[in-house]
Amino acid sequence: MKKLFTVVCAMFVFGTVINAQTAESKVPATKEEKQKMKEKQEADLAAAFKEIGLTDEQVQQVKSVMDATNQKNKELRMDATLSDDDKKAKMKVNNEEKNEKIKSIMGDDKYKQFNAIKKKQKEAAATQSAGN
């Protein structure tokens, strides 16, 4: 009986520790952290545009397409009449349209380079956040 009680207590403590660690990792970002993340994303985007050699006009066109798609997706997320699956499906369509528009602005070669750069940036960000 004593062993059973000890095992149950150990499981309770272990479960509580795991739950606390999980809850700690889901703390929402502060405004300052969100602002830093946004600035980092903008800097990464600017670096990617520069690296592939887009003109100022192309940069503005691409940003315009991205902003319009982000606005559409934001409105979809706020739409309470749609199910989560419907929202995901519509956002996928929006993002596919965005990618086609960006590809037509950049051209196939620069679009492939852009995606490769963005992938490297995303991996670097994931590595950096995992180290924190």
Side-chain angles (χ1 to χ4, degrees):
M1 184 72 173
K2 206 175 202 181
K3 286 183 181 181
L4 178 63
F5 180 71
T6 305
V7 169
V8 170
C9 286
M11 289 174 52
F12 175 76
V13 170
F14 181 73
T16 303
V17 169
I18 296 297
N19 189 30
Q21 289 175 346
T22 305
E24 185 179 301
S25 67
K26 294 181 182 179
V27 173
T30 65
K31 284 186 178 185
E32 293 82 18
E33 291 171 333
K34 287 180 182 179
Q35 183 63 30
K36 282 183 181 179
M37 288 177 9
K38 185 175 181 179
E39 289 171 1
K40 172 83 169 104
Q41 289 172 342
E42 289 173 3
D44 286 349
L45 190 60
F49 290 154
K50 185 175 182 179
E51 189 171 333
I52 62 173
L54 293 184
T55 66
D56 289 342
E57 183 180 343
Q58 287 174 315
V59 169
Q60 290 306 317
Q61 289 174 340
V62 170
K63 283 185 176 182
S64 174
V65 169
M66 289 177 159
D67 289 343
T69 302
N70 288 340
Q71 184 61 36
K72 284 182 190 177
N73 287 343
K74 183 178 180 181
E75 290 170 6
L76 280 174
R77 284 190 292 276
M78 303 292 263
D79 189 347
T81 63
L82 296 174
S83 71
D84 286 345
D85 289 340
D86 290 340
K87 289 177 186 180
K88 285 180 185 178
K90 289 186 179 199
M91 281 193 259
K92 183 177 181 181
V93 169
N94 286 346
N95 290 329
E96 288 171 355
E97 289 174 0
K98 172 192 74 173
N99 291 336
E100 287 303 315
K101 289 177 184 176
I102 290 173
K103 188 187 284 188
S104 71
I105 293 167
M106 292 182 179
D108 285 341
D109 291 339
K110 287 185 179 181
Y111 181 75
K112 287 177 186 175
Q113 288 177 320
F114 177 72
N115 282 334
I117 293 166
K118 291 299 290 174
K119 184 177 180 182
K120 286 180 189 174
Q121 290 173 343
K122 191 179 265 189
E123 289 170 355
T127 302
Q128 184 179 18
S129 67
N132 289 339

